[in-house]
Amino acid sequence: MWMRTYKVRSVSLQMTRAPRRELSAEKLFERYYGAPTSVLHFQQAIAVMTSSNTKVDFLHVTEGRYHFDSESLAEGKALLLTTKARAIQNILQQNYNTARKNVGSLLHTLQDFYSHSNWVELGFQKPLRNLLRADESIGRIAGPDERTCSECVTSHSCRDKILDNVLNQKILTTGYFGFSSNARPEGKCSHGGSADRGKRANQGINKDTRKSPHGQYHNTAAEIATQASLELFLEIWDTVGDDSFLR
């Protein structure tokens, strides 16, 4: 049993370090089994999680906690813990398809933290592991009346400039996503992007793509989010055991 577990985890970790063109269900199964193997059920599981991940943007578009928008850091963490517990419970009860949907939603919110917060801008290169630990602090969070970004003089001369004291004191914040022009409080960072209707929406701190307002941080945020996702799977694995996890 230990050898099997070690082998699966070794293959998983090796695949994360491989060039992205090699990351496929077929390659993963071939490395584990040593021969071509049907990957249909594995592909279906991936599809369910991917669909559930994507649906978060449509089903919960206005709920900041699902995306760590508008400084909903405490609410976002609480949602992560609740969804993770629900996923584990469904796995243990053999409700595997429901568990896959839980995990897909969970991954969306977890990954959005690294894209929508200033974690990367603060200089961190690894995941914030306390996001998934119930009794641990995630650090200093900006207060509701605390200024976090400068007010740019013109609409296109700067990207949301995070204030020096926020960077120096490692204060966590996230951008405000708005459906109206007054959705962002003065002195706060905006989310930015074409869908953001708030003030200075052409600026912002989101790193969703390389073309986002803080797109220069996209690659780093994506790498950290990938590492955080892998650690989540390993944590669930440790909790439910080999057989249930592989199901």
Side-chain angles (χ1 to χ4, degrees):
M1 179 69 74
W2 179 85
M3 286 300 292
R4 184 182 67 179
T5 303
Y6 176 78
K7 184 177 181 181
V8 173
R9 293 198 178 194
S10 296
V11 169
S12 299
L13 292 172
Q14 289 169 10
M15 293 300 291
T16 63
R17 300 189 185 103
R20 292 189 183 278
R21 64 179 180 276
E22 295 185 12
L23 293 177
S24 67
E26 292 81 0
K27 290 286 186 180
L28 183 61
F29 268 52
E30 285 179 15
R31 288 200 185 188
Y32 178 71
Y33 290 106
T37 305
S38 174
V39 297
L40 177 61
H41 294 298
F42 186 45
Q43 289 172 326
Q44 290 174 340
I46 293 173
V48 170
M49 285 187 278
T50 302
S51 176
S52 180
N53 188 320
T54 304
K55 285 180 179 179
V56 172
D57 273 335
F58 301 98
L59 298 177
H60 306 286
V61 63
T62 63
E63 299 176 73
R65 62 187 180 132
Y66 279 88
H67 315 279
F68 281 102
D69 289 337
S70 306
E71 293 187 326
S72 57
L73 288 152
E75 297 86 347
K77 175 177 177 174
L79 178 64
L80 287 177
L81 293 173
T82 299
T83 310
K84 183 182 74 169
R86 189 175 296 126
I88 290 171
Q89 181 181 33
N90 277 312
I91 292 172
L92 294 176
Q93 293 176 348
Q94 300 183 11
N95 300 322
Y96 298 117
N97 201 56
T98 301
R100 294 179 193 117
K101 293 178 181 179
N102 296 150
V103 171
S105 176
L106 176 59
L107 286 172
H108 185 112
T109 302
L110 177 64
Q111 293 161 357
D112 267 359
F113 171 79
Y114 299 100
S115 180
H116 295 177
S117 78
N118 64 333
W119 181 253
V120 174
E121 288 88 338
L122 293 179
F124 295 109
Q125 300 291 317
K126 295 182 179 180
L128 175 54
R129 293 184 173 91
N130 284 355
L131 267 180
L132 293 168
R133 296 173 180 171
D135 299 322
E136 300 294 337
S137 170
I138 62 174
R140 167 93 147 78
I141 298 174
D145 299 320
E146 189 169 8
R147 301 178 71 89
T148 54
C149 277
S150 63
E151 296 288 336
C152 298
V153 177
T154 64
S155 63
H156 58 274
S157 65
C158 69
R159 298 167 180 176
D160 262 9
K161 290 185 176 179
I162 300 174
L163 297 178
D164 288 341
N165 70 294
V166 173
L167 299 175
N168 295 335
Q169 297 178 43
K170 304 294 184 185
I171 301 172
L172 274 175
T173 185
T174 71
Y176 278 73
F177 187 91
F179 294 94
S180 63
S181 61
N182 60 354
R184 181 190 61 83
E186 184 176 353
K188 292 294 187 181
C189 304
S190 59
H191 175 86
S194 58
D196 186 355
R197 304 301 180 188
K199 296 176 182 177
R200 300 184 293 119
N202 57 322
Q203 300 158 21
I205 65 171
N206 92 75
K207 298 160 281 292
D208 289 334
T209 72
R210 293 185 182 92
K211 295 182 179 181
S212 296
H214 271 201
Q216 69 270 34
Y217 299 105
H218 169 77
N219 286 352
T220 301
E223 291 297 331
I224 300 175
T226 300
Q227 185 178 346
S229 301
L230 175 61
E231 291 178 358
L232 170 64
F233 278 114
L234 293 178
E235 181 179 342
I236 293 174
W237 190 344
D238 285 337
T239 303
V240 304
D242 294 345
D243 292 339
S244 294
F245 183 80
L246 292 175
R247 286 291 303 276

